[in-house]
Amino acid sequence: GDSVTQMEGPVTLSEEAFLTINCTYTATGYPSLFWYVQYPGEGLQLLLKATKADDKGSNKGFEATYRKETTSFHLEKGSVQVSDSAVYFCALDTTGNQFYFGTGTSLTVIP
Amino acid sequence: DTEVTQTPKHLVMGMTNKKSLKCEQHMGHRAMYWYKQKAKKPPELMFVYSYEKLSINESVPSRFSPECPNSSLLNLHLHALQPEDSALYLCASSRDRQGGQPQHFGDGTRLSIL
């Protein structure tokens, strides 16, 4: 069945470091892919999305490219800030816009 | 600020109580979702409504009863809950159930069962 495998955390980085959070997926058909971020005490916020192969989603300095050949959607940011500390979820949608979420990756950025 | 509003933010209830969670959106979305999220876990889908009709029930115990009175409102009625039901309950909405639609989440109701 459809699923998402996400890089295990927690991840701790110094401010201004480069961030990569790996996400790979298994799906029948052609899913759309999403990254969501969850700050402490809040719900999930959409960070970026891509709906077809080779699409690049970007927002707030974060980027991810939909790679069909490697079934991946890795999240990257060139220079993280303390305010980026949160939990990041990779997700794919299937028939009927039903979402499958990865396990989440906790990121802590230290000054 | 989120466009999906959930009330209350926190709820403590005993196992014999009856309470309701409320979710509201004014984005004109026609699909609405209830999720349960335990600490350090991803959200788990509970129910999906599409055009005010229940589309998916992920084998949720009957002590959880959803209701969609109109296209903007989604309720979750709670009765005789168990301690393991303590969790963050998230509501989400999307334009419809066609693929590629992002889901917009509220900040959730943190539920504690005594």
Side-chain angles (χ1 to χ4, degrees):
Chain A
D2 296 350
S3 65
V4 173
T5 301
Q6 193 174 332
M7 173 176 162
E8 291 284 333
V11 174
T12 302
L13 294 173
S14 297
E15 205 165 24
E16 299 184 4
F18 185 86
L19 169 71
T20 300
I21 301 178
N22 289 338
C23 172
T24 57
Y25 68 90
T26 301
T28 54
Y30 304 96
S32 293
L33 300 170
F34 304 84
W35 277 102
Y36 281 84
V37 59
Q38 186 173 31
Y39 298 100
E42 297 184 11
L44 277 68
Q45 295 178 24
L46 176 68
L47 187 57
L48 51 83
K49 74 168 192 175
T51 57
K52 60 183 187 299
D54 300 324
D55 267 2
K56 176 186 279 190
S58 61
N59 185 26
K60 300 180 182 179
F62 291 89
E63 293 183 341
T65 301
Y66 188 157
R67 302 279 189 206
K68 194 168 188 298
E69 64 275 14
T70 54
T71 62
S72 65
F73 193 55
H74 305 321
L75 183 68
E76 296 182 336
K77 186 176 186 183
S79 176
V80 293
Q81 306 300 310
V82 171
S83 57
D84 294 326
S85 299
V87 179
Y88 293 80
F89 291 97
C90 184
L92 67 81
D93 76 342
T94 64
T95 305
N97 210 36
Q98 187 167 342
F99 275 32
Y100 287 91
F101 288 93
T103 52
T105 301
S106 175
L107 170 67
T108 300
V109 180
I110 55 178
Chain B
D1 288 346
T2 59
E3 297 168 319
V4 176
T5 304
Q6 290 188 244
T7 54
K9 292 192 182 305
H10 303 275
L11 180 61
V12 179
M13 56 187 287
M15 289 190 284
T16 58
N17 292 155
K18 286 185 181 181
K19 296 286 185 183
S20 297
L21 309 185
K22 180 180 172 182
C23 173
E24 194 166 5
Q25 58 86 15
H26 294 288
M27 294 179 282
H29 288 176
R30 304 310 298 271
M32 296 186 78
Y33 311 78
W34 279 116
Y35 289 88
K36 174 183 178 181
Q37 187 181 27
K38 300 286 270 187
K40 301 188 186 301
K41 298 290 187 183
E44 300 172 19
L45 184 66
M46 300 175 71
F47 302 104
V48 180
Y49 274 84
S50 179
Y51 290 84
E52 298 93 68
K53 293 194 187 318
L54 183 64
S55 295
I56 293 177
N57 175 342
E58 289 286 3
S59 303
V60 179
S62 60
R63 58 186 184 269
F64 295 90
S65 175
E67 178 195 22
C68 190
N70 60 56
S71 60
S72 300
L73 277 176
L74 186 66
N75 298 319
L76 186 63
H77 303 297
L78 314 173
H79 174 54
L81 295 194
Q82 303 298 307
E84 61 266 26
D85 297 324
S86 297
L88 181 67
Y89 287 83
L90 293 165
C91 173
S93 70
S94 63
R95 190 188 72 188
D96 50 42
R97 292 196 65 209
Q98 288 203 16
Q101 304 301 319
Q103 292 185 17
H104 299 257
F105 285 81
D107 282 340
T109 294
R110 189 160 298 282
L111 177 65
S112 298
I113 307 300
L114 301 179

